[in-house]
Amino acid sequence: MNRTITYEIKESESGLRIEQYLKRRGYSSQNLTEIKRMPKSILVNGEHYYMRDTLNSKDILTVCIQETACSEKIPAVKLPLDIVYEDEDIVVINKPAGMPIHPSLNNYTNSMANALAWYYKEQGKPFIFRCANRLDRDTSGLTVAAKHLVSGNILSCLVRDRKIHREYLAIVRGTVTPASGTITAPLGRQEGTIIRRTVDLEHGEHAVTHYRLVETRNGHSLVSLRLETGRTHQIRIHMKYLGFPLIGDYLYNPDMEYITRQALHSHKLTFSHPITGKLMEFTVPLPEDMRRVITPCSPSRV
């Protein structure tokens, strides 16, 4: 992707070398190394500068990102793609259940990455897949991907620093009690399998999930969950640990009477934009298969 980013230098930033300034804006050392290799990538007041050159107050610094490579192992495939938001730096997608995030041995051409590769190929734009918050194949809802190397690095740092806030909606049988709380239980790989995880109080990784009962109808509870950490299968295992496993979960609770995938939906995503710093917030409603289990809730309650 090609992207031109412009900054106006403040008085408090005068005297910084360009590389120092960009690092303060979230650019990694690897980003700077790659950008230096690009032709005429750094301009100050319209003139070519080097990373070691110094900035002055009111200078206009322009960074010209020119990426020509594509993700070689991601074939472009025409697939439905529900884009919630897109600008020059990020794309936010409402992923359907049943679609993996990236290709794998048995899902080489049906992933969200394949769909994005096709989407940008049709526009004549190079595409490198950089997804910030990955969802399980059968979990639906919001996920965000970066469109160039700088936004990709900054989004990764936001994930690392737990500054991308995710809220999920899940359905379980019965009435969840207590109606709200925090589940703190370390998670580790279950012995004898590379897929399943379990609560491992001795050797597991720290994991925290906050939950709140939204409503109970038709013998099921709709639960809102907020992740403080992002371990594999965290919500699925924590809710089972609480005594209320998600329905439809073939790994941890194969209760398939009403739904044939884990009833889990990435409902809300909040984060600071990687380039502008503006607070971004996105929400999407429950998908139809979850709505059929429990009648739709009013927006004010969800």
Side-chain angles (χ1 to χ4, degrees):
M1 296 285 180
N2 291 340
R3 171 71 163 109
T4 299
I5 307 173
T6 301
Y7 305 99
E8 183 174 354
I9 306 307
K10 301 175 184 175
E11 187 173 343
S12 60
E13 298 161 336
S14 181
L16 290 175
R17 296 192 307 275
I18 292 172
E19 61 186 0
Q20 291 176 313
Y21 175 83
L22 292 177
K23 282 188 175 181
R24 292 188 180 187
R25 302 289 305 200
Y27 290 59
S28 68
S29 296
Q30 183 177 351
N31 287 163
L32 298 182
T33 298
E34 292 184 53
I35 290 170
K36 279 192 286 189
R37 297 192 185 112
M38 299 172 186
K40 297 182 180 180
S41 56
I42 299 294
L43 303 176
V44 177
N45 305 322
E47 296 184 11
H48 175 62
Y49 270 52
Y50 295 97
M51 289 289 183
R52 62 178 179 273
D53 289 336
T54 301
L55 295 164
N56 295 308
S57 176
K58 297 184 180 180
D59 277 345
I60 302 299
L61 169 63
T62 303
V63 180
C64 303
I65 300 169
Q66 304 154 66
E67 290 189 292
T68 58
C70 293
S71 297
E72 296 179 356
K73 297 182 179 179
I74 301 178
V77 182
K78 188 176 182 180
L79 297 168
L81 196 60
D82 183 2
I83 295 177
V84 176
Y85 173 85
E86 182 180 14
D87 60 24
E88 293 181 287
D89 306 298
I90 60 173
V91 56
V92 179
I93 296 166
N94 182 18
K95 185 187 80 68
M99 173 182 275
I101 288 286
H102 53 80
S104 60
L105 181 62
N106 296 317
N107 296 282
Y108 189 60
T109 59
N110 63 331
S111 72
M112 191 182 84
N114 297 121
L116 278 172
W118 175 274
Y119 176 69
Y120 291 117
K121 181 180 179 182
E122 289 294 289
Q123 299 175 50
K125 297 177 180 179
F127 168 74
I128 296 177
F129 185 57
R130 301 179 177 101
C131 187
N133 65 311
R134 301 191 175 191
L135 302 176
D136 292 339
R137 181 192 64 192
D138 289 333
T139 298
S140 57
L142 291 168
T143 184
V144 57
K147 292 179 66 173
H148 56 78
L149 74 168
V150 175
S151 58
N153 173 72
I154 296 173
L155 282 177
S156 294
C157 291
L158 292 177
V159 171
R160 180 198 65 198
D161 298 336
R162 300 175 185 173
K163 292 181 179 179
I164 292 185
H165 304 290
R166 297 161 285 174
E167 182 181 323
Y168 292 77
L169 293 173
I171 297 176
V172 303
R173 279 193 190 258
T175 302
V176 172
T177 52
S180 64
T182 297
I183 307 166
T184 303
L187 303 179
R189 199 184 302 273
Q190 185 172 312
E191 187 175 352
T193 174
I194 62 171
I195 299 175
R196 295 171 63 97
R197 300 317 196 255
T198 188
V199 171
D200 185 342
L201 299 176
E202 186 175 355
H203 302 294
E205 294 182 294
H206 179 65
V208 180
T209 304
H210 307 282
Y211 75 91
R212 172 180 59 87
L213 174 64
V214 176
E215 69 173 342
T216 300
R217 289 190 184 181
N218 301 330
H220 292 83
S221 290
L222 181 66
V223 183
S224 169
L225 302 118
R226 183 169 56 84
L227 291 175
E228 191 170 307
T229 56
R231 308 302 179 194
T232 300
H233 301 171
Q234 178 173 318
I235 287 175
R236 298 158 69 182
I237 301 168
H238 272 181
M239 288 306 294
K240 183 176 181 179
Y241 185 68
L242 187 67
F244 296 93
L246 275 56
I247 61 171
D249 190 338
Y250 75 98
L251 274 181
Y252 304 107
N253 180 42
D255 178 357
M256 307 293 184
E257 183 177 358
Y258 294 98
I259 193 169
T260 56
R261 56 103 174 181
Q262 66 256 15
L264 184 61
H265 180 63
S266 177
H267 161 68
K268 185 176 181 180
L269 201 59
T270 308
F271 57 92
S272 295
H273 191 281
I275 303 301
T276 68
K278 178 183 176 182
L279 183 65
M280 312 294 286
E281 182 174 292
F282 305 96
T283 59
V284 288
L286 281 175
E288 183 59 30
D289 60 349
M290 289 179 67
R291 285 184 182 276
R292 287 196 298 265
V293 180
I294 187 166
T295 53
C297 307
S298 66
S300 62
R301 298 188 68 179
V302 175

